[in-house]
Every structure is written in C-alpha cells, then in structure tokens.
Amino acid sequence: VQAVVARRRQLVVEEIDDPIPGANDALVAVRACGICGSDLHTLDHAEHLAEVGAAMGADLAFDPQADYVLGHEWCAEVLELGSGSSDASIKPGDLVVSVPYLLRGEALIPLGFSNDLPGGFAERMLLSTALCLPVPNGLDHRRAALTEPMAVGLHTIARAGLRDGDAAVVVGCGPIGLAIIAWLAARGVETIVAGDFSEQRRALASAMGAHEVVDPRAEPVVDAWRRVDGLHPLVLFEAVGVPGMLDQAVFDAPARSRIVVAGVCMQPDTFRPLIAVVKELDLHFVYAYDPDEFAATLRAIAEGDVDVTPLITGTVGFEGVADAFTTLRRAEQHVKVLVEPGGPPTVTPTLPTRVDP
Amino acid sequence: VQAVVARRRQLVVEEIDDPIPGANDALVAVRACGICGSDLHTLDHAEHLAEVGAAMGADLAFDPQADYVLGHEWCAEVLELGSGSSDASIKPGDLVVSVPYLLRGEALIPLGFSNDLPGGFAERMLLSTALCLPVPNGLDHRRAALTEPMAVGLHTIARAGLRDGDAAVVVGCGPIGLAIIAWLAARGVETIVAGDFSEQRRALASAMGAHEVVDPRAEPVVDAWRRVDGLHPLVLFEAVGVPGMLDQAVFDAPARSRIVVAGVCMQPDTFRPLIAVVKELDLHFVYAYDPDEFAATLRAIAEGDVDVTPLITGTVGFEGVADAFTTLRRAEQHVKVLVEPGGPPTVTPTLPTRVDP
C-alpha cells in the first residue's frame, strides 16, 4: 500500500508492506488524517525526542532517525477484523476513529510515532478493535478526523480548572488554539480574547467564538483583555509552542493568573522565574487527553455541540504532503489540512460547509 | 542610629538619620533580624529587579543602586508611638513582629527593600502600628524573628494544595526548605524526603521532621523518594533558587506531579518544556504569604506547634554582617543567622535551646 514515509527530515511517497491484522486488530482504510503541529515538530526537531524517554524513565521505542509514517488524527473505514476480533463492536464498512495507540500485550504503541506500524498518512493501517469508536449520527469522515485535535482542546480546558467568571486569553490560533476557543465558547466563558499574526486565523477565532481578536503586532493579547475586561481572574492559554512564548506569557500575565501551556515547544526555552515568583503564577503543562475525553469529543462533534467545519481549510493527497508541511510551517493560510488517499496533488481549499442544525 | 547600609554591592556599618514616627507609626528598637536568601540575592543580582516592576505594570520605587538598609525578618521592642497611634493595640515595651511593610496612605512600602526607610539591620526602625502583632506566650525575640521565613513555608504548603496521601520531596534545606519540612511534618505528611549538599543542613532536615534525607551527589532526591515510597502522588518543593534547579526538577519529577517553586532564582533560567508537557506537570510559583498566614505562624511558634529553635544557627552584630553574607553564600554551616544590635563581631553559633513543652 502507498504511504508518506518520513525518512530523516524528508517526506517521500512509497509503497510499504501491507499491514496484517493480528488478534484484536482491525485493518482499516484511512479516509482522512489531519496534519498536526507535532508532526511538523517531530520531523524538524527529532533530536529532542530522545531526552523525553530518559526523563520518563523508559527507552523510547521510536527512533526518528529511522523510517516511520506520521499521522495520528485519522478517520478510517474498517476493511476486516483480525482473528479473535469477532466480538468487536465494529464491523467491516464502519467508519471509525480511535485514540492513536495500538494495544500489543501490555504495551501501547503510539501510532504515527512508530517505526513498526504505519500512522494515518498511509492507505491502510491497523487499529485495536477495543479502542475503535464507530462514528455516530452520519458524521462525515472529515469532521470525524477532527476528533483528536479537538480532544486535546477539551483536555486543555479540563486541565485549566476553569471557575465561573474566569476570563480567557488564547495566544495562537492554530488548530489547538481554535479548539480551545471552541470549547471555551461551548462552556459559556464570557470573555475570550485571542491573538494571532494571521488574518485568516483571526477570522476563524471569531467564527469559533472569541469575543475579541487581535494581531499581537498591533496590540498585545493581554492588553486587549485589559481593554475589554481586565477584572476577572485570567487563564492564559499558550498555544504557539516556540521558544520565548512562555517568557512573554509570564511577563504579560497579571499576578495570580494561570498559564496553561498547550503549545509544545520542542527546544529548551528560557524564561524569568523571578517574575513568575513575584506574580505567584501557576503553569499547567498539557499533553493529549484521556479516552473518555476523546469519546466525549466525538459525541460533541457528532451532536453539533461544537462545529469543527471552519477548522478544515484544505485537503491534499499523498504527493502533496511535503508541500503541505511547508505551507503549514508558515502558519498563515491554513489551519487543519486533511491528508486523503487519492486527494488532490497540492493543498486545495475546502469549500466551507456547515453542519446542518 | 547605627545601621548596616547596602551601598551598591557592599555592606557598610554607618550612622543613619533617626527615624521619626509619623501618625500611625511605632518607633521600635530591633532586637533581632534574620538574614534571608533574598537579602543575598538582592545584593548580588540587583540588576534583575527592575524587570519585576515592568512585569508588574508599575515602577518599582526601590532603586538597588542607591543606599538602602536590608532586613525584613525582625522582632523588635516598641519604644514610642507616633501621634494618632494612641488607640493602638501595642504600647512601649511590647515585643512585636509585623509583615515587612509600612502603610503610607494608600501605599505599602516594603521594609528592607526601600531607599527611604530602614529595614531590620538597623538599631531602630518604623513600623505601622496596625500591622504589629505583640509576641505572645513569653516567646523570646529570637524565635519570634523566625515568624517571617516560617510564614513563607506555611504559604508554600498552602499553595501546594496538599491532599491526604501526598508525598513530598524537598530539594534544598536552607531556611525555606527547612520551614517547608517543619510544616509538612506538622501537617502529618507521611513521606517527606529531603536533599541538601550540606551535612549540617541534612541533620537539621531530620530534626525538623524529614523521614529520609540524602546528599544529592550520592543519590538524587527523587530517586530516594522512589526507594522509600514511589507510589503516592508527589509534590516536589524546589527551595534552592539557582539556575538549572527547575530543569532538574522537571527532568526528575514523575509524570503528573506538582512542582512548587519556593526558591527565588533571580537570573533567567532555561528548562525543557517538552518534558514538562509530556509529563503534564504543574508548576506553582510561590511568593511571600498573606497577613493571616503570618499571624497563624506566630501563634504556631508561640504555642510550640512548630519548633524553630534548630533553625537559628548563629547570631552576629552589625560589623559582622558582611562576613555573615559570605558565610551564608556557601550554604554549608549555617541556616538562619540573626543580626542583633550589639551582637558578636563575627557569626557565633547559637547554643541549641529547646522550647519547653
């Protein structure tokens, strides 16, 4: 089957071995798989990943210097079930999503970050039947593929420990920043102020529910919050993840506010702890989500509680993925680009379609 | 009156103008005033203080390039009350402590960090009568002078949001680390593991209630916790405050633990946010205390709920303060050195005396 293979820092379209479903696996055909910021980061900053294993007290099985197939935000169609999977709650023809792991005995193999099993930038892949969730309500495969990044947003909100009356500042309106805004709006947060350099992303922030949206070159985001509110306890969501953002957040945040770090900065970063001390800041670092949050996200999208349609700005076939990464590194025009087997050779804007109410 | 004047990075003993009590002030004679790590930091790293003002959105009135008198951990005897202070709850002859601020109209002047008013390394100083707390229970002036650093410890514990069953690791057994250990023990935390390079400080950590104490050169503190517990949710208290400690804490801490930053690192510091993200760490930065915590600390010391006696390792007169700073920078032999007007010319060990039960 065809796949987009990551080989050192390049992406090449190649034939890979057909995955063979084992007991409790499903063989699935990928219908769509989103490109995530962490895909870009992994390709660009692989050298920092080994330290994570050391810090977690375990060897990372994943070697980013060897070949792998990225992609952990998929929606796929079940083709066949491996032996021992007959009692699964899914059957061939079902559209499914799942948390991006494959169960192998006691181990969880992270799909999309594995040298042994393909991620979602492949025609076919293996999923654990026990982790698959059928897509409900006739939800289409594109919106269903947004379950994973939206689950990150839901988990981020949960980690923020929001209290009634809290105001929110969201720094960065990429997929995660916009997911955060969507959940903040769904939760009824009354003051959501967002900032991004890109005009298109700012427009999307408004569409997702931000009440005030600024270009940080014209007005710092926290200043904009002071202008429109300035009174309520503030939670600042850092959703950019490049060096220097955290120091800026610490410098800008009012005393006793909380900073929720959802952007993943791969490089070592420098900040001024003295300022965090004097302000008594809380920093909450956020990673992924739990399976309940993933399932709740799928339900919320399928029920129309959150509308992910505006986030899907483009689709692309395998041969256009490398260019799509380049486009997304500029963080200007696109938010979520979905890789679709058989899709267009270059990133093609998605016509806006709304979920029928 | 005599005082230890900080002039640029030097300490010199000089005559300063007699402070004149205004309305609502008390003129007091300092009986003892502890040397704090932040006194050393302020003298050594004054250049980083200006940024704090900018980050707080206010000019810092304090200019560390001009003369000032340090000292914010005093116990003093009331000499006279200024006009308008006749209804104060204190009278001449009372031994008092207070939070280190003077009320001036709407403003709070931080005593010990002011170019206009002397801190506690002076024979006499002014306090706000409204902020003075009489020392109860016949508590002596030396132990009463420990109210301020012990209040930092109490506030640190409160910021940690301890839950039943939490374990604690305390990195650094200076005054703040030992204060944290004392409160953790008073609260009944069942596993307290502490680390410090100094043998004397390690012995004090045991005396204050740590269950396991290690030299981090021989065994990392978190490894020692894994050896004796390793199961309970962990709160790691960083009580050193030099560059690199936070990165080490992030690297060592188990996933989903909380890091409470009580050490004040004055310089910019570098860490690896990717590791904090993958572990979903919470960082709580801690500063000072509120007046209720200060008052509760005084009561707890006076009632014998926490015994601060082991923390007081030396006393010194004004002419020995500069040497005392040098001794304390080595962080080996001493913990809390009290400056006493008329005290010995060099740092002199305090004979251990226990509070009678």
Short mmCIF file of all heavy atoms in Angstrom, two decimals, chain A residues 51-109:
data_model
loop_
_atom_site.label_atom_id
_atom_site.label_comp_id
_atom_site.label_asym_id
_atom_site.label_seq_id
_atom_site.Cartn_x
_atom_site.Cartn_y
_atom_site.Cartn_z
N GLU A 51 15.50 12.70 24.71
CA GLU A 51 15.53 13.13 26.10
C GLU A 51 14.22 12.83 26.83
O GLU A 51 14.19 12.66 28.04
CB GLU A 51 15.78 14.64 26.18
CG GLU A 51 17.15 15.05 25.70
CD GLU A 51 17.27 16.57 25.65
OE1 GLU A 51 16.47 17.26 26.30
OE2 GLU A 51 18.17 17.05 24.95
N VAL A 52 13.12 12.83 26.05
CA VAL A 52 11.83 12.58 26.68
C VAL A 52 11.81 11.18 27.27
O VAL A 52 11.37 10.99 28.41
CB VAL A 52 10.68 12.75 25.66
CG1 VAL A 52 9.36 12.31 26.26
CG2 VAL A 52 10.62 14.20 25.21
N GLY A 53 12.31 10.22 26.52
CA GLY A 53 12.37 8.86 27.04
C GLY A 53 13.18 8.80 28.33
O GLY A 53 12.74 8.22 29.32
N ALA A 54 14.33 9.46 28.33
CA ALA A 54 15.17 9.47 29.52
C ALA A 54 14.43 10.09 30.70
O ALA A 54 14.47 9.57 31.82
CB ALA A 54 16.47 10.22 29.25
N ALA A 55 13.72 11.18 30.45
CA ALA A 55 13.00 11.86 31.53
C ALA A 55 11.83 11.03 32.04
O ALA A 55 11.40 11.18 33.17
CB ALA A 55 12.51 13.22 31.06
N MET A 56 11.28 10.18 31.17
CA MET A 56 10.15 9.34 31.58
C MET A 56 10.65 8.04 32.20
O MET A 56 9.83 7.19 32.57
CB MET A 56 9.25 9.04 30.39
CG MET A 56 8.68 10.27 29.71
SD MET A 56 7.61 11.28 30.80
CE MET A 56 6.09 10.31 30.76
N GLY A 57 11.94 7.87 32.28
CA GLY A 57 12.49 6.65 32.88
C GLY A 57 12.28 5.43 32.02
O GLY A 57 12.21 4.31 32.51
N ALA A 58 12.15 5.61 30.71
CA ALA A 58 11.93 4.47 29.82
C ALA A 58 12.58 4.78 28.48
O ALA A 58 12.68 5.94 28.08
CB ALA A 58 10.43 4.24 29.61
N ASP A 59 13.06 3.76 27.81
CA ASP A 59 13.56 3.98 26.46
C ASP A 59 12.38 4.24 25.54
O ASP A 59 11.36 3.55 25.60
CB ASP A 59 14.31 2.73 25.97
CG ASP A 59 15.64 2.58 26.69
OD1 ASP A 59 16.17 3.59 27.18
OD2 ASP A 59 16.12 1.43 26.77
N LEU A 60 12.51 5.26 24.72
CA LEU A 60 11.52 5.46 23.67
C LEU A 60 11.79 4.42 22.58
O LEU A 60 12.90 4.36 22.06
CB LEU A 60 11.65 6.85 23.05
CG LEU A 60 10.88 8.01 23.66
CD1 LEU A 60 10.89 9.18 22.69
CD2 LEU A 60 9.46 7.62 24.01
N ALA A 61 10.78 3.62 22.26
CA ALA A 61 10.98 2.62 21.20
C ALA A 61 11.10 3.32 19.85
O ALA A 61 11.70 2.79 18.91
CB ALA A 61 9.81 1.64 21.19
N PHE A 62 10.57 4.53 19.75
CA PHE A 62 10.52 5.26 18.49
C PHE A 62 11.87 5.92 18.18
O PHE A 62 12.41 6.64 19.00
CB PHE A 62 9.42 6.31 18.59
CG PHE A 62 9.34 7.26 17.43
CD1 PHE A 62 9.33 6.80 16.12
CD2 PHE A 62 9.25 8.63 17.65
CE1 PHE A 62 9.24 7.69 15.04
CE2 PHE A 62 9.15 9.51 16.58
CZ PHE A 62 9.16 9.04 15.29
N ASP A 63 12.40 5.62 17.00
CA ASP A 63 13.66 6.23 16.56
C ASP A 63 13.37 7.13 15.36
O ASP A 63 13.16 6.65 14.25
CB ASP A 63 14.65 5.13 16.16
CG ASP A 63 15.93 5.73 15.56
OD1 ASP A 63 16.10 6.97 15.62
OD2 ASP A 63 16.74 4.94 15.04
N PRO A 64 13.36 8.44 15.57
CA PRO A 64 13.01 9.34 14.47
C PRO A 64 14.08 9.42 13.39
O PRO A 64 13.86 10.06 12.36
CB PRO A 64 12.80 10.69 15.16
CG PRO A 64 13.52 10.59 16.46
CD PRO A 64 13.57 9.15 16.84
N GLN A 65 15.24 8.76 13.61
CA GLN A 65 16.26 8.71 12.54
C GLN A 65 15.95 7.58 11.55
O GLN A 65 16.44 7.60 10.42
CB GLN A 65 17.66 8.51 13.14
CG GLN A 65 18.02 9.49 14.24
CD GLN A 65 17.97 10.95 13.82
OE1 GLN A 65 18.15 11.26 12.64
NE2 GLN A 65 17.68 11.84 14.75
N ALA A 66 15.16 6.59 11.97
CA ALA A 66 14.75 5.51 11.06
C ALA A 66 13.41 5.88 10.41
O ALA A 66 12.78 6.85 10.81
CB ALA A 66 14.63 4.20 11.84
N ASP A 67 13.01 5.11 9.40
CA ASP A 67 11.76 5.42 8.69
C ASP A 67 10.53 5.29 9.59
O ASP A 67 10.48 4.42 10.46
CB ASP A 67 11.58 4.45 7.51
CG ASP A 67 12.55 4.73 6.37
OD1 ASP A 67 13.39 5.65 6.51
OD2 ASP A 67 12.45 4.03 5.35
N TYR A 68 9.55 6.13 9.34
CA TYR A 68 8.25 5.99 10.02
C TYR A 68 7.19 6.69 9.18
O TYR A 68 7.51 7.48 8.28
CB TYR A 68 8.29 6.54 11.44
CG TYR A 68 8.70 8.01 11.56
CD1 TYR A 68 7.75 9.01 11.72
CD2 TYR A 68 10.05 8.38 11.51
CE1 TYR A 68 8.12 10.35 11.82
CE2 TYR A 68 10.42 9.71 11.61
CZ TYR A 68 9.46 10.69 11.76
OH TYR A 68 9.84 12.00 11.85
N VAL A 69 5.95 6.39 9.47
CA VAL A 69 4.81 7.04 8.79
C VAL A 69 4.03 7.82 9.83
O VAL A 69 3.49 7.25 10.78
CB VAL A 69 3.90 5.99 8.11
CG1 VAL A 69 2.69 6.67 7.49
CG2 VAL A 69 4.69 5.22 7.05
N LEU A 70 4.01 9.15 9.67
CA LEU A 70 3.31 10.04 10.59
C LEU A 70 1.78 9.92 10.43
O LEU A 70 1.30 9.23 9.53
CB LEU A 70 3.72 11.49 10.32
CG LEU A 70 5.10 11.92 10.84
CD1 LEU A 70 5.56 13.21 10.15
CD2 LEU A 70 5.05 12.13 12.35
N GLY A 71 1.06 10.66 11.27
CA GLY A 71 -0.40 10.73 11.16
C GLY A 71 -1.10 10.09 12.33
O GLY A 71 -1.06 8.88 12.49
N HIS A 72 -1.73 10.91 13.19
CA HIS A 72 -2.42 10.35 14.37
C HIS A 72 -3.81 10.95 14.54
O HIS A 72 -4.42 10.84 15.59
CB HIS A 72 -1.58 10.58 15.63
CG HIS A 72 -1.24 12.02 15.89
ND1 HIS A 72 -0.17 12.64 15.29
CD2 HIS A 72 -1.84 12.95 16.64
CE1 HIS A 72 -0.13 13.90 15.69
NE2 HIS A 72 -1.14 14.11 16.50
N GLU A 73 -4.32 11.60 13.48
CA GLU A 73 -5.66 12.24 13.57
C GLU A 73 -6.54 11.70 12.45
O GLU A 73 -6.96 12.44 11.58
CB GLU A 73 -5.52 13.75 13.40
CG GLU A 73 -4.59 14.44 14.39
CD GLU A 73 -4.52 15.95 14.14
OE1 GLU A 73 -5.10 16.43 13.14
OE2 GLU A 73 -3.87 16.64 14.94
N TRP A 74 -6.83 10.42 12.48
CA TRP A 74 -7.50 9.82 11.33
C TRP A 74 -8.98 9.54 11.58
O TRP A 74 -9.43 9.42 12.71
CB TRP A 74 -6.83 8.49 10.96
CG TRP A 74 -6.87 7.54 12.11
CD1 TRP A 74 -7.96 6.84 12.56
CD2 TRP A 74 -5.80 7.24 12.99
NE1 TRP A 74 -7.62 6.12 13.66
CE2 TRP A 74 -6.31 6.34 13.95
CE3 TRP A 74 -4.46 7.63 13.06
CZ2 TRP A 74 -5.53 5.83 14.98
CZ3 TRP A 74 -3.70 7.13 14.09
CH2 TRP A 74 -4.22 6.24 15.03
N CYS A 75 -9.68 9.41 10.45
CA CYS A 75 -10.95 8.72 10.42
C CYS A 75 -10.79 7.65 9.33
O CYS A 75 -10.25 7.94 8.26
CB CYS A 75 -12.09 9.66 10.09
SG CYS A 75 -13.68 8.82 10.00
N ALA A 76 -11.21 6.42 9.63
CA ALA A 76 -10.93 5.31 8.72
C ALA A 76 -12.14 4.39 8.60
O ALA A 76 -13.04 4.42 9.44
CB ALA A 76 -9.72 4.51 9.24
N GLU A 77 -12.12 3.60 7.52
CA GLU A 77 -13.21 2.64 7.30
C GLU A 77 -12.68 1.23 7.57
O GLU A 77 -11.60 0.86 7.07
CB GLU A 77 -13.69 2.76 5.85
CG GLU A 77 -14.87 1.88 5.55
CD GLU A 77 -15.32 2.01 4.09
OE1 GLU A 77 -15.16 3.12 3.51
OE2 GLU A 77 -15.80 0.99 3.54
N VAL A 78 -13.43 0.48 8.32
CA VAL A 78 -12.99 -0.88 8.67
C VAL A 78 -13.07 -1.77 7.43
O VAL A 78 -14.11 -1.82 6.76
CB VAL A 78 -13.86 -1.46 9.81
CG1 VAL A 78 -13.43 -2.90 10.12
CG2 VAL A 78 -13.76 -0.58 11.05
N LEU A 79 -11.95 -2.46 7.12
CA LEU A 79 -11.93 -3.40 5.99
C LEU A 79 -12.12 -4.82 6.48
O LEU A 79 -12.94 -5.56 5.94
CB LEU A 79 -10.59 -3.28 5.24
CG LEU A 79 -10.31 -1.94 4.57
CD1 LEU A 79 -8.93 -1.94 3.93
CD2 LEU A 79 -11.39 -1.62 3.52
N GLU A 80 -11.36 -5.22 7.49
CA GLU A 80 -11.53 -6.56 8.02
C GLU A 80 -10.99 -6.63 9.44
O GLU A 80 -10.16 -5.81 9.85
CB GLU A 80 -10.83 -7.61 7.14
CG GLU A 80 -9.34 -7.43 7.03
CD GLU A 80 -8.66 -8.58 6.27
OE1 GLU A 80 -8.58 -8.47 5.04
OE2 GLU A 80 -8.20 -9.55 6.92
N LEU A 81 -11.49 -7.62 10.18
CA LEU A 81 -11.06 -7.80 11.56
C LEU A 81 -10.12 -8.99 11.63
O LEU A 81 -10.33 -9.99 10.94
CB LEU A 81 -12.28 -8.05 12.46
CG LEU A 81 -13.36 -6.96 12.43
CD1 LEU A 81 -14.51 -7.32 13.36
CD2 LEU A 81 -12.78 -5.61 12.82
N GLY A 82 -9.06 -8.87 12.45
CA GLY A 82 -8.15 -9.99 12.65
C GLY A 82 -8.83 -11.10 13.45
O GLY A 82 -9.94 -10.91 13.99
N SER A 83 -8.17 -12.23 13.52
CA SER A 83 -8.72 -13.34 14.29
C SER A 83 -8.85 -12.91 15.75
O SER A 83 -8.06 -12.12 16.24
CB SER A 83 -7.81 -14.55 14.18
OG SER A 83 -6.54 -14.22 14.72
N GLY A 84 -9.86 -13.44 16.40
CA GLY A 84 -10.07 -13.08 17.80
C GLY A 84 -10.79 -11.76 17.98
O GLY A 84 -10.96 -11.28 19.08
N SER A 85 -11.21 -11.16 16.87
CA SER A 85 -11.87 -9.86 16.94
C SER A 85 -13.34 -9.97 16.59
O SER A 85 -14.01 -8.98 16.35
CB SER A 85 -11.21 -8.88 15.96
OG SER A 85 -9.83 -8.81 16.19
N SER A 86 -13.88 -11.19 16.57
CA SER A 86 -15.25 -11.38 16.10
C SER A 86 -16.27 -10.73 17.02
O SER A 86 -17.36 -10.38 16.60
CB SER A 86 -15.56 -12.88 15.96
OG SER A 86 -15.33 -13.50 17.21
N ASP A 87 -15.91 -10.56 18.30
CA ASP A 87 -16.87 -9.96 19.21
C ASP A 87 -16.72 -8.44 19.30
O ASP A 87 -17.26 -7.82 20.20
CB ASP A 87 -16.73 -10.58 20.61
CG ASP A 87 -15.32 -10.40 21.15
OD1 ASP A 87 -14.44 -10.01 20.36
OD2 ASP A 87 -15.11 -10.64 22.34
N ALA A 88 -15.98 -7.89 18.38
CA ALA A 88 -15.76 -6.44 18.44
C ALA A 88 -17.07 -5.71 18.15
O ALA A 88 -17.97 -6.23 17.49
CB ALA A 88 -14.70 -6.03 17.43
N SER A 89 -17.15 -4.49 18.64
CA SER A 89 -18.35 -3.68 18.43
C SER A 89 -18.30 -2.97 17.09
O SER A 89 -19.13 -2.12 16.81
CB SER A 89 -18.49 -2.67 19.57
OG SER A 89 -17.33 -1.87 19.60
N ILE A 90 -17.33 -3.31 16.27
CA ILE A 90 -17.23 -2.71 14.94
C ILE A 90 -17.22 -3.82 13.90
O ILE A 90 -16.89 -4.97 14.20
CB ILE A 90 -15.96 -1.84 14.79
CG1 ILE A 90 -14.70 -2.68 15.12
CG2 ILE A 90 -16.03 -0.62 15.69
CD1 ILE A 90 -13.40 -2.02 14.72
N LYS A 91 -17.58 -3.47 12.66
CA LYS A 91 -17.62 -4.46 11.58
C LYS A 91 -17.16 -3.80 10.29
O LYS A 91 -17.13 -2.55 10.18
CB LYS A 91 -19.03 -5.02 11.43
CG LYS A 91 -20.08 -3.96 11.15
CD LYS A 91 -21.47 -4.53 11.07
CE LYS A 91 -22.47 -3.46 10.59
NZ LYS A 91 -22.37 -2.17 11.29
N PRO A 92 -16.77 -4.62 9.30
CA PRO A 92 -16.34 -4.05 8.03
C PRO A 92 -17.38 -3.07 7.48
O PRO A 92 -18.59 -3.32 7.58
CB PRO A 92 -16.17 -5.27 7.14
CG PRO A 92 -15.80 -6.37 8.10
CD PRO A 92 -16.61 -6.08 9.33
N GLY A 93 -16.88 -1.95 6.95
CA GLY A 93 -17.77 -0.92 6.42
C GLY A 93 -18.00 0.22 7.39
O GLY A 93 -18.36 1.33 6.99
N ASP A 94 -17.75 -0.01 8.71
CA ASP A 94 -17.94 1.05 9.70
C ASP A 94 -16.88 2.13 9.53
O ASP A 94 -15.71 1.84 9.27
CB ASP A 94 -17.82 0.50 11.13
CG ASP A 94 -19.07 -0.25 11.57
OD1 ASP A 94 -20.06 -0.24 10.82
OD2 ASP A 94 -19.02 -0.86 12.66
N LEU A 95 -17.31 3.36 9.73
CA LEU A 95 -16.38 4.48 9.82
C LEU A 95 -16.00 4.60 11.30
O LEU A 95 -16.88 4.63 12.17
CB LEU A 95 -17.11 5.75 9.34
CG LEU A 95 -16.33 6.89 8.72
CD1 LEU A 95 -15.50 6.43 7.53
CD2 LEU A 95 -17.33 7.99 8.27
N VAL A 96 -14.69 4.65 11.58
CA VAL A 96 -14.25 4.67 12.99
C VAL A 96 -13.17 5.73 13.21
O VAL A 96 -12.46 6.14 12.27
CB VAL A 96 -13.69 3.29 13.45
CG1 VAL A 96 -14.77 2.21 13.37
CG2 VAL A 96 -12.46 2.90 12.62
N VAL A 97 -13.05 6.13 14.46
CA VAL A 97 -11.89 6.89 14.93
C VAL A 97 -11.34 6.13 16.14
O VAL A 97 -12.01 5.25 16.68
CB VAL A 97 -12.24 8.34 15.34
CG1 VAL A 97 -12.73 9.14 14.13
CG2 VAL A 97 -13.27 8.37 16.46
N SER A 98 -10.13 6.47 16.57
CA SER A 98 -9.62 5.87 17.81
C SER A 98 -8.49 6.73 18.34
O SER A 98 -7.86 7.49 17.60
CB SER A 98 -9.15 4.42 17.60
OG SER A 98 -7.75 4.36 17.35
N VAL A 99 -8.26 6.58 19.65
CA VAL A 99 -7.06 7.18 20.21
C VAL A 99 -5.86 6.56 19.51
O VAL A 99 -5.91 5.39 19.11
CB VAL A 99 -6.98 6.98 21.74
CG1 VAL A 99 -8.09 7.76 22.44
CG2 VAL A 99 -7.03 5.52 22.11
N PRO A 100 -4.79 7.31 19.29
CA PRO A 100 -3.72 6.86 18.39
C PRO A 100 -2.73 5.88 19.03
O PRO A 100 -1.54 6.17 19.12
CB PRO A 100 -3.03 8.16 17.97
CG PRO A 100 -3.28 9.09 19.11
CD PRO A 100 -4.60 8.71 19.70
N TYR A 101 -3.25 4.76 19.47
CA TYR A 101 -2.40 3.73 20.07
C TYR A 101 -2.87 2.38 19.59
O TYR A 101 -4.05 2.19 19.32
CB TYR A 101 -2.48 3.77 21.60
CG TYR A 101 -1.86 5.00 22.19
CD1 TYR A 101 -2.64 6.10 22.50
CD2 TYR A 101 -0.49 5.06 22.41
CE1 TYR A 101 -2.07 7.25 23.02
CE2 TYR A 101 0.09 6.20 22.93
CZ TYR A 101 -0.69 7.30 23.23
OH TYR A 101 -0.13 8.43 23.74
N LEU A 102 -1.94 1.45 19.49
CA LEU A 102 -2.28 0.06 19.24
C LEU A 102 -1.87 -0.75 20.46
O LEU A 102 -0.74 -0.61 20.96
CB LEU A 102 -1.56 -0.47 17.99
CG LEU A 102 -2.13 -1.80 17.48
CD1 LEU A 102 -3.30 -1.54 16.53
CD2 LEU A 102 -1.07 -2.62 16.78
N LEU A 103 -2.80 -1.58 20.94
CA LEU A 103 -2.51 -2.45 22.09
C LEU A 103 -1.74 -3.66 21.60
O LEU A 103 -2.16 -4.34 20.67
CB LEU A 103 -3.82 -2.91 22.74
CG LEU A 103 -4.76 -1.81 23.23
CD1 LEU A 103 -6.16 -2.37 23.51
CD2 LEU A 103 -4.19 -1.19 24.49
N ARG A 104 -0.59 -3.92 22.23
CA ARG A 104 0.20 -5.12 21.91
C ARG A 104 0.60 -5.74 23.24
O ARG A 104 1.60 -5.34 23.84
CB ARG A 104 1.46 -4.76 21.12
CG ARG A 104 1.30 -4.72 19.64
CD ARG A 104 1.24 -6.13 19.03
NE ARG A 104 1.09 -6.07 17.57
CZ ARG A 104 -0.08 -6.04 16.93
NH1 ARG A 104 -1.22 -6.06 17.60
NH2 ARG A 104 -0.11 -5.99 15.61
N GLY A 105 -0.23 -6.68 23.70
CA GLY A 105 0.02 -7.24 25.02
C GLY A 105 -0.12 -6.14 26.06
O GLY A 105 -1.15 -5.47 26.13
N GLU A 106 0.92 -5.94 26.85
CA GLU A 106 0.90 -4.89 27.87
C GLU A 106 1.26 -3.53 27.30
O GLU A 106 1.10 -2.51 27.96
CB GLU A 106 1.92 -5.21 28.98
CG GLU A 106 1.72 -6.53 29.68
CD GLU A 106 0.69 -6.40 30.80
OE1 GLU A 106 0.96 -5.67 31.76
OE2 GLU A 106 -0.38 -7.04 30.69
N ALA A 107 1.79 -3.52 26.07
CA ALA A 107 2.34 -2.28 25.53
C ALA A 107 1.30 -1.49 24.75
O ALA A 107 0.34 -2.04 24.20
CB ALA A 107 3.54 -2.59 24.65
N LEU A 108 1.51 -0.17 24.72
CA LEU A 108 0.73 0.74 23.87
C LEU A 108 1.70 1.30 22.85
O LEU A 108 2.64 2.02 23.20
CB LEU A 108 0.17 1.89 24.71
CG LEU A 108 -1.12 1.68 25.49
CD1 LEU A 108 -1.39 2.91 26.35
CD2 LEU A 108 -2.28 1.44 24.54
N ILE A 109 1.48 0.97 21.59
CA ILE A 109 2.36 1.51 20.55
C ILE A 109 1.73 2.80 20.02
O ILE A 109 0.58 2.80 19.59
CB ILE A 109 2.54 0.49 19.42
CG1 ILE A 109 3.19 -0.78 19.99
CG2 ILE A 109 3.36 1.07 18.28
CD1 ILE A 109 3.27 -1.92 19.02
#
